[in-house]
Amino acid sequence: MSKKVTIVGGHGNIALRLARILSSEGRTVTSIIRNSEQEQDIKNVSATPRVLSLENDPVYTFTEAFTGQDVVYFSAGAGGKGGAERTKKVDFDGAVKTFEAITAVEGPKPRLILVSCIDVRDTTKVPPHYNEEDITASERLWKAIPAYMHWKYEADKILVTHKAFKWTILRPGALINDPGKGTADIGRTHISKPISRDDVAKALALLLDREDAAGLAIDLVGGDTPLEEGLDALLRVVIFSSACVLTELSWSRITHRLCSVPTSHGAPIIGWFRMSKKVIIVGGHGNVSLRLAKLLGSKHSVTSIIRDPAQEKDIKEISATPLVLSLEDDPASKFSEAFKGQDVVYFSAGAGGKGGEERTKKVDYEGAVKTFDAIEGVAGPKPRLILVSAIDVRDPEKIPSHYNEEDKAVAERVRKAIPAYMHWKYEADKNLVKRSTFKWTILRPGGLNNEPGKGTADIGRTHITKTISRDDVAKALAVLLDREDAAGLAIDFVGGDTPIEEGLDAFIKKGETDWLG
């Protein structure tokens, strides 16, 4: 359905790009400008100009302009012209005037999509995922443009209290004029990477049809995730990314219900939020684990258990919290403490061939069993477990009926090459499948490679000869986070052409485990 759209601040660099995109999609676009000399520029991007001044015209003139519109974009700003006084006049007073004008619309009120800025927040509340580089970038930003950051914060703080209309805030990083790539890092991410104005405009255009983004503030910086994919992922498992308004609500406990959240000036935010989970990864410095934490870190609260304090920096760089514990030396009670209050435990630890058979048993079997015991030792609700095992882990006397001669040859070759690993993985899995006090899922990837992920795989009772990218294993583990209906299943996972989400969904609906005992 074609929508009617009004852009406040229609002659800005992002606004002109946005109008061009929306007009090309068949939307009806009106661009509000303050100077009639800008009318031709608006017509050149196939939009209709409307002259109104945020600084001088009354609220009701904007209400008239917004009546009958589906969406209002606020992309106005003083742009550093006129000093702190004009910044307040446009970026704060103008924004508030827009909120009041939408509220005053009789009948259906348009949604608001507001362009704010990365790191707009209460400066006494540093987001927990910031690393030292983020903190330095934040300090530099607030020193360079203090009036802009302050008044953006004050405007956003007022917006999040509004209940009369739906709103979304997009918070881009530093802006550049490079050609857009169509990609970004989206959500709770590091703030030092600039973002193209083309890509900000593209993200704003995508949000036009995403009514499920109502009540959310979305951080957007340069990155490699396709914009549509990144926004979709964020909106499916979303965490509100504005530290400024999360004063009494834990970053990790946003629920799938109507939340009333106090802001720093006492008024509530009312909105629908989806579940963000608390996740802990055992074996947090492994190749798959680092990839997994990076995927989850923008949307969830991730703790990575490591055995060496020297690895802490690597964990912090991917937006996770390091916790030093040793599977080999620390008691199960220490792990129970770490697991308490978590939603999901990932077990992705392994000796990695170091230390011979004795250490393989110590980590891959005894460490796994210690993890199972620790989950059982959690008082109250117990976290789910998602365990990384391996393809073809089984009783060697029980050959799967779907194996062909090539599969059998591969199975025999692997067992001869790493007999201790396959044996102790089997013993660990055999122990796990007997447990019933907590929910568990086993992912059984094939031979691993370091090629870039394709986002596809063969899943279920398949042939075992094809290797799988570590990227794709991490992606599958991330998808399983929200698939509680995968409980009790062991899932074979090798290289293939089926999109991972689609393949996992089909496997889980079928409900046939790949564990043969």
Side-chain angles (χ1 to χ4, degrees):
M1 186 178 72
S2 177
K3 288 188 169 71
K4 290 184 175 182
V5 173
T6 289
I7 305 174
V8 181
H11 198 256
N13 286 315
I14 290 172
L16 289 169
R17 290 167 165 85
L18 173 62
R20 187 186 297 276
I21 293 170
L22 296 179
S23 296
S24 71
E25 294 174 346
R27 322 289 188 168
T28 302
V29 182
T30 299
S31 293
I32 291 179
I33 52 178
R34 60 186 175 84
N35 187 342
S36 58
E37 294 176 359
Q38 300 166 340
E39 289 186 352
Q40 188 57 51
D41 293 336
I42 301 304
K43 293 175 182 176
N44 289 344
V45 292
S46 302
T48 301
R50 181 161 185 165
V51 180
L52 281 175
S53 170
L54 275 175
E55 298 173 73
N56 300 317
D57 286 315
V59 169
Y60 75 83
T61 59
F62 285 86
T63 298
E64 290 171 4
F66 298 159
T67 298
Q69 299 296 298
D70 296 296
V71 173
V72 172
Y73 286 94
F74 184 90
S75 186
K81 298 172 184 174
E85 185 177 347
R86 187 162 183 267
T87 296
K88 177 180 183 292
K89 193 79 173 170
V90 178
D91 292 77
F92 174 70
D93 294 342
V96 173
K97 181 179 286 187
T98 299
F99 310 157
E100 292 172 351
I102 295 174
T103 302
V105 170
E106 294 184 3
K109 302 183 196 306
R111 284 167 53 219
L112 172 66
I113 301 174
L114 178 135
V115 182
S116 183
C117 179
I118 198 84
D119 199 48
V120 164
R121 60 182 171 88
D122 180 341
T123 52
T124 66
K125 296 178 174 66
V126 179
H129 66 283
Y130 276 20
N131 59 22
E132 291 304 317
E133 189 177 359
D134 294 322
I135 292 169
T136 300
S138 174
E139 289 175 354
R140 191 163 56 241
L141 186 63
W142 280 83
K143 282 180 181 177
I145 47 173
Y148 174 84
M149 297 298 287
H150 171 73
W151 290 117
K152 281 289 184 191
Y153 169 57
E154 292 298 327
D156 292 4
K157 198 165 63 167
I158 287 178
L159 175 58
V160 298
T161 69
H162 273 273
K163 296 179 283 182
F165 58 88
K166 294 179 179 178
W167 52 263
T168 302
I169 304 173
L170 188 68
R171 297 158 38 102
L175 301 173
I176 56 176
N177 286 319
D178 292 358
K181 298 177 180 177
T183 61
D185 278 352
I186 301 172
R188 189 167 35 153
T189 184
H190 298 298
I191 67 172
S192 54
K193 294 172 286 185
I195 182 82
S196 161
R197 288 179 169 88
D198 287 351
D199 289 327
V200 176
K202 170 76 173 182
L204 289 167
L206 289 170
L207 286 170
L208 179 64
D209 293 312
R210 295 307 299 251
E211 295 192 26
D212 51 349
L216 303 178
I218 302 170
D219 288 355
L220 183 86
V221 300
D224 299 319
T225 302
L227 283 167
E228 196 161 357
E229 179 184 322
L231 283 170
D232 188 60
L234 182 75
L235 296 176
R236 277 189 282 107
V237 189
V238 82
I239 185 164
F240 198 75
S241 64
S242 295
C244 63
V245 298
L246 292 178
T247 56
E248 294 185 20
L249 182 65
S250 164
W251 280 80
S252 58
R253 305 308 301 169
I254 295 177
T255 61
H256 195 72
R257 60 185 169 80
L258 193 64
C259 296
S260 177
V261 185
T263 67
S264 55
H265 61 295
I269 308 165
I270 303 293
W272 284 98
F273 298 99
R274 291 178 183 161
M275 179 69 78
S276 170
K277 291 186 169 66
K278 290 183 81 173
V279 172
I280 193 162
I281 304 173
V282 181
H285 200 256
N287 285 315
V288 170
S289 295
L290 290 169
R291 289 168 166 84
L292 174 62
K294 188 173 183 180
L295 287 176
L296 298 180
S298 64
K299 310 171 189 75
H300 303 280
S301 173
V302 180
T303 299
S304 293
I305 292 179
I306 53 177
R307 59 185 175 83
D308 185 351
Q311 300 165 340
E312 288 186 351
K313 184 173 182 291
D314 295 336
I315 302 302
K316 291 176 181 176
E317 285 178 352
I318 51 173
S319 301
T321 301
L323 176 63
V324 179
L325 279 176
S326 170
L327 273 176
E328 298 173 73
D329 302 320
D330 285 313
S333 59
K334 285 270 188 81
F335 285 85
S336 292
E337 290 172 13
F339 298 163
K340 187 174 177 61
Q342 300 292 316
D343 296 297
V344 172
V345 174
Y346 286 96
F347 184 90
S348 187
K354 298 173 184 174
E357 182 174 352
E358 184 179 346
R359 188 160 184 270
T360 297
K361 179 186 179 195
K362 193 82 173 169
V363 178
D364 292 78
Y365 172 66
E366 293 176 3
V369 172
K370 182 180 287 186
T371 299
F372 311 158
D373 291 343
I375 294 174
E376 289 190 341
V378 171
K382 302 183 194 309
R384 285 167 52 219
L385 172 68
I386 300 174
L387 178 133
V388 182
S389 183
I391 199 82
D392 199 47
V393 164
R394 58 180 168 85
D395 181 339
E397 300 301 317
K398 296 179 180 175
I399 299 174
S401 58
H402 65 281
Y403 276 19
N404 59 23
E405 291 306 313
E406 192 176 1
D407 294 322
K408 293 173 186 176
V410 169
E412 186 176 346
R413 189 163 61 244
V414 170
R415 286 177 186 282
K416 284 181 179 177
I418 48 173
Y421 174 84
M422 296 299 287
H423 171 71
W424 291 117
K425 280 290 184 190
Y426 170 58
E427 292 297 327
D429 292 5
K430 195 164 62 169
N431 184 299
L432 176 59
V433 298
K434 297 173 184 175
R435 309 259 179 163
S436 58
T437 57
F438 60 89
K439 293 180 179 179
W440 52 263
T441 302
I442 303 172
L443 187 70
R444 298 158 38 103
L448 301 174
N449 65 59
N450 287 319
E451 294 174 9
K454 298 177 181 177
T456 60
D458 278 353
I459 299 172
R461 296 194 179 179
T462 184
H463 298 296
I464 67 174
T465 53
K466 293 173 285 187
T467 62
I468 184 79
S469 161
R470 287 179 170 87
D471 287 351
D472 288 327
V473 175
K475 172 72 184 266
L477 290 167
V479 171
L480 286 170
L481 179 64
D482 292 309
R483 295 305 301 253
E484 295 190 30
D485 50 350
L489 296 177
I491 305 169
D492 287 357
F493 187 78
V494 300
D497 299 319
T498 303
I500 288 170
E501 282 195 43
E502 180 184 320
L504 284 172
D505 188 60
F507 180 90
I508 292 166
K509 285 177 179 174
K510 188 176 181 183
E512 184 178 356
T513 184
D514 288 327
W515 171 257
L516 300 179

